[in-house]
Amino acid sequence: MHGPAAELADRLARNAEAVCRHYLSNGRREGRYWLVGDINNNPGRSLYVRLRGVETGSGATGKWTDAATGDHGDLLDLIAACRNLQSLRDTLDEARLFLSLPRTESHADRRPAAPVPTGSPEAARRLFAMSKPITGTVAQSYLRRRGITDVRHGDPLRFHPRCWYRGDDEDPRDRLRDAWPAIIAAVTDLDGTITGAHRTWLDPSGSHKADISTPRRAMGQLLGNAVRFGHAVDVLVAGEGIETMLSVRQILPTLPMAAALSANHLAALILPPTLRRLYIAHDADPAGDRAQETLAERAIALGIQVIPLKPNLGDFNEDLQRLGRDAVTRELRDQLLPDDIVRFP
């Protein structure tokens, strides 16, 4: 294997356990292997994936074998089988999506894409694909002003320098310009498929949101889905806003989180079937209280332990900005179970 496929296979191998947790979520790590029933993610122990450090030698990490069928391959083969992808190009695109890398196109494919319905999931996927990493952009400046300094590689956040904005003709602010810089966040389902996108339009200085009537908007299929930070297996923190969840993540960077984007969507969030404990970081207002109660009732009915995370002020980003990182660290550690503090440092 040569060229882009070999490079992607190598990148996947360096993140072998993350690949397994994403595509083979019903399995588990045992020693230096990931064990699962089969390539269709059924529970069991027949298929095993070699994780980092299993063997020495070129190409050892990421190789997998199904002892029942004899099937084997690398992580690109695994992704193709799990997603039932028939072409190498589709497999490479899926791998790039997982690694948060831009898709590449051949010269023959550089013709205008067919139009898709405005606000559709496909429109959301195209918007996210044409955006770029936020490092060094006004998006990074904006988040830092909000106390959010740690945005990690692989997070579902990107930047678009001129994102179209359709404003209110009756509002004079919305007639200033038709495009603004924007943070683009991917909304995904439990399988990691992009179903929508959330846009936060920014002032070109990066000091604050754009001075328009609705600087935050979402598109696509949102109900039940979320902007996800990390892959949740048995523990998850769920909340409303992206900045709220990013604020919690500054303190607990390895704990999986999901931003549902609104109180109503938080109440309707679809939970992973393997979930055993749910922290709900709700906003301190009547809508947030109702969302927390509704989601908690649903989770408890599924046998999931529910623990609310309460901010001191309106939400955790307000706490981070006004009270500081040390105060937020103390309030979160007071509310988390000790086992999770140790497990997710």
Side-chain angles (χ1 to χ4, degrees):
M1 184 166 53
H2 303 283
E7 181 181 352
L8 284 173
D10 183 62
R11 283 176 177 253
L12 291 169
R14 293 198 298 269
N15 296 276
E17 185 169 348
V19 174
C20 292
R21 290 189 180 278
H22 185 75
Y23 292 99
L24 299 175
S25 57
N26 285 328
R28 61 180 181 178
R29 179 169 185 162
E30 291 193 11
R32 297 176 295 178
Y33 293 87
W34 188 267
L35 303 182
V36 71
D38 54 37
I39 202 68
N40 296 316
N41 196 26
N42 290 310
R45 302 169 58 86
S46 177
L47 187 148
Y48 57 93
V49 184
R50 298 177 176 91
L51 304 178
R52 181 179 298 276
V54 174
E55 295 179 2
T56 59
S58 175
T61 302
K63 298 295 186 180
W64 60 272
T65 301
D66 189 329
T69 65
D71 293 338
H72 61 278
D74 62 12
L75 293 175
L76 280 175
D77 298 318
L78 185 147
I79 288 173
C82 287
R83 288 288 188 261
N84 195 27
L85 301 173
Q86 303 301 314
S87 71
L88 176 61
R89 175 176 176 174
D90 288 344
T91 303
L92 298 184
D93 283 344
E94 173 68 20
R96 291 187 182 101
L97 181 61
F98 173 81
L99 294 166
S100 297
L101 298 173
R103 294 174 57 176
T104 59
E105 297 180 350
S106 66
H107 291 286
D109 294 325
R110 292 177 186 169
R111 47 183 174 268
V116 296
T118 301
S120 66
E122 181 57 32
R125 286 188 280 269
R126 290 187 182 186
L127 175 61
F128 190 74
M130 69 177 62
S131 302
K132 65 179 185 178
I134 70 170
T135 302
T137 69
V138 297
Q140 185 178 44
S141 300
Y142 167 80
L143 291 174
R144 284 179 171 172
R145 287 176 178 268
R146 309 280 293 183
I148 299 165
T149 58
D150 184 8
V151 177
R152 302 193 163 207
H153 176 74
D155 282 354
L157 302 179
R158 290 189 180 175
F159 172 72
H160 196 296
R162 286 185 52 81
C163 184
W164 171 258
Y165 176 79
R166 178 171 294 174
D168 179 359
D169 290 339
E170 302 302 318
D171 192 327
R173 295 175 300 171
D174 289 358
R175 296 197 295 266
L176 292 176
R177 55 194 298 167
D178 58 11
W180 298 79
I183 299 173
I184 311 298
V187 178
T188 59
D189 61 18
L190 290 178
D191 292 328
T193 301
I194 295 179
T195 66
H198 182 274
R199 297 151 293 176
T200 303
W201 282 278
L202 305 174
D203 183 84
S205 68
S207 59
H208 53 271
K209 286 186 277 294
D211 185 20
I212 49 182
S213 56
T214 52
R216 290 192 181 108
R217 288 181 184 172
M219 59 192 291
Q221 295 176 356
L222 309 177
L223 191 64
N225 301 318
V227 178
R228 303 180 191 277
F229 300 91
H231 176 65
V233 178
D234 57 339
V235 181
L236 173 69
V237 181
E240 295 180 35
I242 295 171
E243 291 168 25
T244 295
M245 301 316 299
L246 282 172
S247 299
V248 177
R249 202 160 187 257
Q250 301 307 291
I251 313 303
L252 302 162
T254 63
L255 186 54
M257 302 184 185
L261 303 179
S262 73
N264 288 337
H265 286 105
L266 177 61
L269 181 66
I270 297 174
L271 302 173
T274 56
L275 198 66
R276 295 293 174 264
R277 182 155 52 254
L278 173 66
Y279 293 98
I280 305 178
H282 64 99
D283 293 358
D285 55 35
D289 291 339
R290 289 193 298 271
Q292 188 269 333
E293 292 171 2
T294 301
L295 180 58
E297 289 175 359
R298 291 178 46 231
I300 292 171
L302 295 170
I304 299 169
Q305 180 184 16
V306 174
I307 301 174
L309 297 179
K310 300 179 180 179
N312 279 309
L313 303 174
D315 59 48
F316 282 104
N317 187 247
E318 187 178 355
D319 284 5
L320 185 62
Q321 293 185 77
R322 295 178 57 184
L323 305 179
R325 183 187 182 95
D326 290 344
V328 176
T329 300
R330 288 192 297 271
E331 67 182 294
L332 286 172
R333 288 182 175 271
D334 286 344
Q335 298 179 75
L336 261 69
L337 294 183
D339 287 349
D340 289 332
I341 295 175
V342 174
R343 181 180 171 190
F344 301 104

